[in-house]
């Protein structure tokens, strides 16, 4: 008899998806971009499955689509696929650009972290004797500082300011994720993120730039 215990670990949920939908969720190697709105199809297909909740499915899907392996597969000429591995249309350029930028930022952060760990673990060199003082040189004029990159100032959105097809950002984790409002139902706002994932949030999670 099949166990009815719910899967609460995200890795366990992903493993379940790899097993249940092997043509859609690729466990190893190159992945393919997922159909826009795939979460709704996934929730409907697993509606009677007691092992996974919608919340856990959403978290697992977000981890899958934010992995480097997935982002590398979001490129020109590639077709999106549905749960059965069927093609669902080519990617839009803005989705490709966003995926590549996200991948680049993630790789740069990981590289900086590795360098910091290596520097901390490196053995300290013995202190050297103070060198003879060099002749004092005349001060050179300081180089002008480079202008800092412009910082986006986000403001919290009000429900009555929001409308369909409006560009917004959604608070997901530390960095806001850009997207477009696709539908507004009562207090729930449906936003299609640039990664292709559609999320349902309240107005307090919406940011305007």
């Amino acid at each position: 008899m099949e166990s009815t215990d719910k899967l609460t670990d995200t890795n366990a949920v992903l493993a379940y998806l790899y097993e249940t939908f092997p043509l859609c969720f690729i466990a190893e190697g190159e992945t393919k971009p997922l159909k826009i709105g795939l979460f709704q199809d996934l929730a409907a297909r697993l509606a009677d499955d007691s092992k996974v909740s919608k919340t856990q499915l959403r978290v697992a899907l977000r981890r899958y689509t934010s992995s480097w392996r997935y982002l590398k597969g979001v490129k020109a000429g590639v077709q999106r696929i549905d749960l059965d591995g069927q093609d669902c249309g080519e990617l839009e350029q803005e989705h490709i650009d966003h995926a590549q930028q996200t991948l680049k930022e993630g790789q740069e952060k990981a590289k900086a972290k590795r360098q910091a760990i290596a520097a901390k673990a490196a053995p300290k060199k013995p202190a050297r004797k103070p060198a003879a003082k060099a002749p004092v040189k005349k001060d050179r004029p300081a180089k002008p500082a480079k202008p800092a990159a412009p910082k986006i100032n986000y403001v919290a959105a009000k429900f009555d300011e929001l409308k369909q097809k409006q560009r917004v950002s959604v608070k997901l984790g530390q960095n806001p994720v850009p997207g477009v409002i696709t539908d507004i139902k009562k207090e729930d706002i449906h936003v299609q993120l640039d990664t292709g994932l559609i999320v349902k949030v309240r107005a307090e999670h919406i940011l305007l730039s």
Side-chain angles (χ1 to χ4, degrees), residues 84-98:
D84 300 313
Q86 299 298 315
D87 291 342
C88 297
E90 289 192 10
L91 293 158
E92 295 183 12
Q93 187 60 44
E94 62 176 320
H95 295 167
I96 297 173
D97 293 343
H98 177 74

Side-chain angles (χ1 to χ4, degrees), residues 170-208:
V170 181
K171 288 189 289 185
L172 293 175
Q174 295 182 346
N175 299 319
V177 181
V180 177
I181 294 177
T182 59
D183 197 8
I184 299 176
K185 294 181 178 179
K186 294 184 179 180
E187 295 181 354
D188 294 327
I189 298 112
H190 296 252
V191 181
Q192 179 186 317
L193 303 180
D194 288 352
T195 59
L197 181 65
I198 294 180
V199 297
K200 181 173 69 174
V201 297
R202 298 294 181 93
E204 58 263 29
H205 296 288
I206 301 290
L207 299 174
L208 302 177

Side-chain angles (χ1 to χ4, degrees), residues 62-107:
R62 189 177 300 156
R63 178 179 292 185
Y64 183 82
T65 57
S66 62
S67 67
W68 289 5
R69 192 164 60 96
Y70 180 87
L71 294 173
K72 288 177 181 178
V74 180
K75 53 191 176 183
V78 177
Q79 295 275 336
R80 291 183 180 276
I81 58 171
D82 63 12
L83 289 174
D84 300 313
Q86 299 298 315
D87 291 342
C88 297
E90 289 192 10
L91 293 158
E92 295 183 12
Q93 187 60 44
E94 62 176 320
H95 295 167
I96 297 173
D97 293 343
H98 177 74
Q100 298 311 308
Q101 180 63 26
T102 303
L103 175 62
K104 180 181 177 182
E105 291 175 356
Q107 290 175 332

Side-chain angles (χ1 to χ4, degrees), residues 142-162:
K143 294 182 180 180
K146 293 182 180 180
K151 183 179 180 182
I152 300 176
N153 293 320
Y154 292 101
V155 295
K158 296 181 180 179
F159 183 81
D160 54 8
E161 294 176 344
L162 302 176

